[in-house]
Amino acid sequence: MSGQADVAPTGLLRRVMRGRDPREEHRAATPLELLFDLTFVVAVSQAAAQLHHALAEDHVGSGLAAYAAVFFAIWWAWMNFTWFASAYDTDDVPYRLLTLLQMAGVLVLASGVPAVFEDGDFTLVVIGYVVMRLAMVTQWLRAAIEHPEGRSGALHYAAGITAVQICWIARLWTPDAWAWTTFLILVAAELAVPAWAEYRGHPTSWHPGHIAERYSLFTIIVLGEVILGSLAAVRSAVADHGLSTPVLLIAIGGLLLVFALWWIYFTGNEARLTTLRTALVWGYGHYVVFAALAAIGAGLEAALDAAEHHGHLSTRGAGLSVAVPVAIALLMLGALHRATRTGAVGHALLVLAGALVVLALGFSAPALGIGGAILGMGLAVAATLTANLFTVRHRSERR
């Protein structure tokens, strides 16, 4: 079949759910997908804000653990909807209403984020998460009924997701001593479901270009959260003490970091998701990318707190709160560029050197000053990008 799903006589009210053509031209994100993404802005903002507070109070270990946990729930729910929509977007009334239910689940999850950081209470997060996931089960069951060719894969997805959600609910009564062990086991189970369903059932007809665009749009959303959070922190610092040199340097360095990382992500050809294995590596690797990028915003806010002598985080700790997520983002983006053969920032030694320089600057924050260290990080990432682009151009000219 080609293009859109078969349309019943009732038009938008009800369409037959069929797998979309993965070779469809001009396949772009829909207005519903963009609206769906906006609800995740709230969830990402909540996670980053709570991480900032944890860093400022020097609760680094517990803050990072809570952040990694809630960000997984946010990312995994977004990712599952995105891949399903790429294959089965009918955009009719039932589809839109189930998407609305998932959006409501996102907001419930976001409202439960503070409790995870403060008390380790996952109740609201799990409720919101399960609401989103059970809505996805309903979508998969509909696909199984209306798309006979893809029924096997759809039923595998529905069964796998349902089983894991039952376990998430049961985990709420797990003794505290087993809380993180059971969490990691269930994360592994969630990650295994798509591979199990795609390999054991009929593969879904996701669109490589559409998937690449959706991930690109979410990257921009996360970077926008970094800018918004940093702006709020700068305004607060200026209102309290005026525009000091450290605040100015942090603002310039933060903007340079965001722009350089954006350039790194959007340099080169579109990701070549030619096989399921490559697609899974690329898709799963973005958890690290998204989480690291959002954490940069929290780190910049913590650095501004340190510059204004607020909170309890040391100057070195503030420098590393920015340097570590920047280094992680650099390394993962370099790995993903190589995995998808975009050829943009795939020179391993250059990327590694850039990450090491950034980390060294984080450790050197007491000597350089927090503002100077963060400005140096921005310049280091920009230099890493420039060196990679020069290397790629030199290789292409030699060919």
Side-chain angles (χ1 to χ4, degrees):
M1 65 165 292
S2 62
Q4 287 281 359
D6 295 339
V7 181
T10 51
L12 176 64
L13 289 178
R14 188 72 168 81
R15 296 176 178 175
V16 179
M17 183 172 276
R18 293 283 190 263
R20 296 185 66 148
D21 186 354
R23 296 162 304 207
E24 179 183 344
E25 296 183 359
H26 311 298
R27 176 79 164 93
T30 66
L32 180 59
E33 288 175 316
L34 299 178
L35 180 63
F36 180 80
D37 286 356
L38 289 180
T39 59
F40 282 85
V41 172
V42 178
V44 171
S45 176
Q46 280 290 308
Q50 292 301 316
L51 177 60
H52 162 226
H53 294 316
L55 292 174
E57 294 302 316
D58 203 15
H59 300 155
V60 178
S62 60
L64 288 176
Y67 176 75
V70 298
F71 206 96
F72 173 82
I74 295 166
W75 162 76
W76 190 243
W78 176 87
M79 177 174 165
N80 277 252
F81 170 81
T82 296
W83 287 75
F84 177 87
S86 188
Y88 288 109
D89 183 4
T90 56
D91 196 29
D92 59 3
V93 169
Y95 181 88
R96 290 186 174 189
L97 290 178
L98 283 171
T99 303
L100 173 63
L101 180 59
Q102 292 180 75
M103 293 165 63
V106 177
L107 298 179
V108 173
L109 186 155
S111 67
V113 168
V116 174
F117 280 82
E118 294 167 8
D119 307 312
D121 183 359
F122 280 85
T123 303
L124 267 182
V125 167
V126 169
I127 291 172
Y129 181 75
V130 171
V131 166
M132 290 186 285
R133 303 297 280 138
L134 292 183
M136 281 306 311
V137 169
T138 306
Q139 296 277 36
W140 281 115
L141 290 175
R142 181 185 173 191
I145 294 170
E146 300 182 14
H147 184 216
E149 296 86 350
R151 181 168 298 158
S152 175
L155 289 176
H156 276 78
Y157 269 107
I161 294 170
T162 300
V164 179
Q165 301 324 295
I166 293 172
C167 293
W168 280 119
I169 295 171
R171 181 184 172 274
L172 293 175
W173 287 273
T174 301
D176 292 343
W178 289 90
W180 287 106
T181 301
T182 53
F183 178 86
L184 293 175
I185 291 172
L186 290 179
V187 165
E190 289 277 19
L191 295 175
V193 169
W196 175 65
E198 295 287 341
Y199 283 113
R200 294 295 299 273
H202 188 281
T204 52
S205 54
W206 47 271
H207 191 289
H210 175 248
I211 289 294
E213 182 195 25
R214 295 289 291 118
Y215 275 75
S216 298
L217 292 172
F218 201 78
T219 300
I220 293 175
I221 285 176
V222 175
L223 289 173
E225 285 296 314
V226 175
I227 294 174
L228 184 61
S230 300
L231 173 63
V234 169
R235 288 181 60 185
S236 177
V238 170
D240 290 342
H241 304 288
L243 183 60
S244 64
T245 299
V247 170
L248 180 61
L249 291 178
I250 292 171
I252 295 173
L255 183 59
L256 187 56
L257 280 173
V258 169
F259 189 73
L261 289 169
W262 168 84
W263 198 328
I264 287 173
Y265 191 96
F266 289 95
T267 298
N269 301 320
E270 185 180 86
R272 301 174 186 175
L273 307 180
T274 53
T275 67
L276 177 61
R277 180 178 179 180
T278 301
L280 289 176
V281 170
W282 186 84
Y284 287 5
H286 270 74
Y287 164 73
V288 179
V289 174
F290 292 153
L293 292 178
I296 292 171
L300 288 171
E301 292 182 68
L304 285 163
D305 288 341
E308 296 299 307
H309 306 290
H310 296 158
H312 304 285
L313 191 64
S314 67
T315 302
R316 177 171 284 117
L320 289 174
S321 70
V322 178
V324 171
V326 169
I328 291 173
L330 263 181
L331 293 172
M332 182 53 68
L333 286 174
L336 293 180
H337 274 298
R338 289 176 65 85
T340 55
R341 295 178 295 158
T342 58
V345 190
H347 196 293
L349 291 179
L350 289 175
V351 173
L352 178 60
L356 290 175
V357 170
V358 168
L359 288 174
L361 288 166
F363 277 106
S364 303
L368 298 174
I370 188 63
I374 291 177
L375 178 60
M377 293 176 205
L379 293 173
V381 175
T384 302
L385 168 65
T386 303
N388 272 278
L389 293 177
F390 178 80
T391 302
V392 171
R393 180 180 177 183
H394 182 64
R395 285 178 176 174
S396 64
E397 288 176 350
R398 289 181 61 183
R399 291 173 185 171

